[in-house]
């Protein structure tokens, strides 16, 4: 009877772990979607500002200067965003598997106890 209760408890814990994991993934992807939306909005605003400045320019030298500054800032912003996204994905992976780590440790401990009792 105790074995069946343990199996039921293990099943419940496995389901809870799975739900926590899925919840973490969902929250993480919501965060990524929000961050992507914010980055897109900032990029659009920066582009619009650059085009306004470019439209008001009267000399080719000033136009090249504006474009160069825009491309440099866009590249820097993109690299910063790529780094941030990388960190978000890494955090999702780490947090997603954290609940499973506890379950694996419990299962390992349970198996070791069973082996000791059998010996």
């Amino acid at each position: 009877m105790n074995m069946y209760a343990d199996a039921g408890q293990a099943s419940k814990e496995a389901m809870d772990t799975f739900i926590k994991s899925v919840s973490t993934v969902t929250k993480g992807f919501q965060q990524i979607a929000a961050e992507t939306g914010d980055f897109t909005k900032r990029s659009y605003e920066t582009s619009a500002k650059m085009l306004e400045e470019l439209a008001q320019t009267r000399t080719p030298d000033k136009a090249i200067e504006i474009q160069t500054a825009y491309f440099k800032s866009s590249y820097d912003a993109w690299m910063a965003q790529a780094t941030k996204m990388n960190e978000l994905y890494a955090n999702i992976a780490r947090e997603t598997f954290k609940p499973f780590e506890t379950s694996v440790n419990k299962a390992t401990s349970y198996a070791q106890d069973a082996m000791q009792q059998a010996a």
Side-chain angles (χ1 to χ4, degrees), residues 8-112:
Q9 181 64 26
S11 295
K12 181 184 179 312
E13 288 176 7
M15 184 56 79
D16 289 344
T17 299
F18 176 75
I19 290 171
K20 286 178 188 176
S21 180
V22 169
S23 175
T24 300
V25 169
T26 302
K27 287 176 186 175
F29 281 118
Q30 287 173 346
Q31 186 178 8
I32 286 171
E35 185 61 42
T36 301
D38 291 344
F39 177 73
T40 302
K41 182 180 176 184
R42 287 190 310 266
S43 294
Y44 177 78
E45 289 170 353
T46 304
S47 297
K49 182 180 175 187
M50 187 271 304
L51 288 173
E52 285 178 15
E53 290 177 13
L54 202 56
Q56 296 171 0
T57 302
R58 300 290 177 228
T59 64
D61 290 342
K62 185 65 175 171
I64 290 171
E65 180 183 324
I66 291 170
Q67 287 178 330
T68 302
Y70 167 75
F71 290 133
K72 183 183 181 321
S73 69
S74 293
Y75 176 77
D76 291 343
W78 187 84
M79 289 303 290
Q81 184 68 16
T83 301
K84 186 183 284 188
M85 296 302 275
N86 185 33
E87 290 170 0
L88 287 174
Y89 278 107
N91 285 339
I92 289 171
R94 193 174 15 262
E95 294 300 316
T96 298
F97 291 107
K98 193 178 281 186
F100 291 108
E101 184 178 310
T102 304
S103 296
V104 168
N105 289 339
K106 284 182 183 179
T108 302
S109 176
Y110 182 78
Q112 287 174 347

